[in-house]
Amino acid sequence: MSKQQQRLLQIVVFLVIVLVGFFLFRGMSIETIRRAVVDSGPLGIVIFELMWIFLPIFLFPVLVLAIVGGIGYGLWFGSFLVLIGAALNMCTMFWISRYLARDLVRNYVRNNHPKLFQWLYQQTDKLPQTIFILRILPAISYNLINYVSGLTDIKTRDFLIASTLGIMPGGLAYVNIGDKSLDPSSPEFVRSLIYFGLFVVTTSVVVYFWKKRQGNRGPIE
């Protein structure tokens, strides 16, 4: 297969992914997602994972999916499904950036996030550690990290391991809120909000000192 044919195949595959995601999940809201998951029985698990694969491609906020996971499946099983869905999605977006729409993603990041673009390319010797830190600190878009990582030389395995470990603390916090939101007046729901607040404050402090250490070389504006 020639390079021109490979390029054409990549474009076709990318367009198919975009069209499938658009027609399956257009008009999605928090309530429609909740109903689709909670009211579909065992099939809801499949629907939930498909939402994880496709919706973030279109920059849908993943925290909504994590909260719905807690509502539909509880803290522990919900967290398990969220991690599986996030792993599938991270690989999908990573591969889209690396193999299917590399030029499109590179131009977008270079034009809209030049500081992140330049900074991440300077971290070639420690990309897994860098991505792990960026995942823990909720200061850069989850979706943006997936796409930018595909432009680097990091291996898929290293990217997936660093990303999964990095999203665990925040993911658990969001799923816990969803799990406890079934009874908003309960002490458990209040505690889940307190835990989430502590997570935000802690990561904000870490971001502050990390930015200070990085000086003008860091990716966070």
Side-chain angles (χ1 to χ4, degrees), residues 23-101:
F23 285 109
L24 283 179
F25 301 112
R26 58 182 174 175
M28 279 290 181
S29 65
I30 296 178
E31 180 58 23
T32 56
I33 291 174
R34 187 197 66 78
R35 286 204 311 267
V37 171
V38 174
D39 299 340
S40 299
L43 182 61
I45 295 177
V46 177
I47 295 173
F48 185 61
E49 299 298 343
L50 287 174
M51 288 178 178
W52 264 104
I53 293 174
F54 283 100
L55 285 181
I57 293 176
F58 306 97
L59 307 183
F60 188 87
V62 295
L63 65 90
V64 173
L65 294 174
I67 291 173
V68 170
I71 294 173
Y73 303 106
L75 176 58
W76 299 116
F77 189 51
S79 296
F80 172 75
L81 294 180
V82 164
L83 287 178
I84 295 298
L88 293 172
N89 166 257
M90 288 187 292
C91 286
T92 300
M93 297 178 73
F94 180 85
W95 290 332
I96 286 175
S97 175
R98 175 161 291 184
Y99 300 114
L100 301 181

